[in-house]
């Protein structure tokens, strides 16, 4: 039996946010994909060096999808 170890981050989030991260990962070229393993609907194991990139993508998404009442 061969053991494979990977250094990464465990992300715990709600299902819609997990789907956003999965779709974001799928939109990237193969060399930039960061999901190592989808554990379940609310847990993802990702490369350890992508936390800033994921946070930026989420912030950009939230800014584009925030309702502002017209003045």
């Amino acid at each position: 039996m061969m053991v494979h170890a990977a250094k990464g981050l465990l992300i715990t989030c709600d299902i819609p946010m997990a789907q956003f991260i999965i779709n974001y990962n799928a939109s990237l070229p193969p060399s930039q994909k960061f999901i190592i393993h989808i554990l379940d609907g609310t847990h993802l194991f990702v490369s350890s060096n992508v936390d800033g990139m994921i946070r930026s993508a989420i912030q950009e998404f939230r800014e584009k999808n925030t309702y502002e009442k017209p003045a």
Side-chain angles (χ1 to χ4, degrees):
M1 175 194 278
M2 191 154 187
V3 176
H4 177 73
K7 184 177 179 181
L9 297 172
L10 175 65
I11 296 177
T12 301
C13 56
D14 61 8
I15 291 172
M17 185 55 65
Q19 286 302 309
F20 172 79
I21 295 169
I22 291 166
N23 290 337
Y24 176 62
N25 182 69
S27 74
L28 297 173
S31 64
Q32 294 180 11
K33 292 193 187 299
F34 55 82
I35 294 179
I36 297 170
H37 193 74
I38 299 170
L39 303 171
D40 61 30
T42 60
H43 297 89
L44 307 171
F45 188 62
V46 301
S47 300
S48 59
N49 60 338
V50 296
D51 59 329
M53 183 173 76
I54 294 171
R55 288 178 196 271
S56 295
I58 292 168
Q59 182 65 31
E60 185 178 317
F61 175 76
R62 286 186 173 153
E63 287 171 4
K64 286 181 183 176
N65 293 287
T66 300
Y67 174 76
E68 292 182 20
K69 186 176 179 180

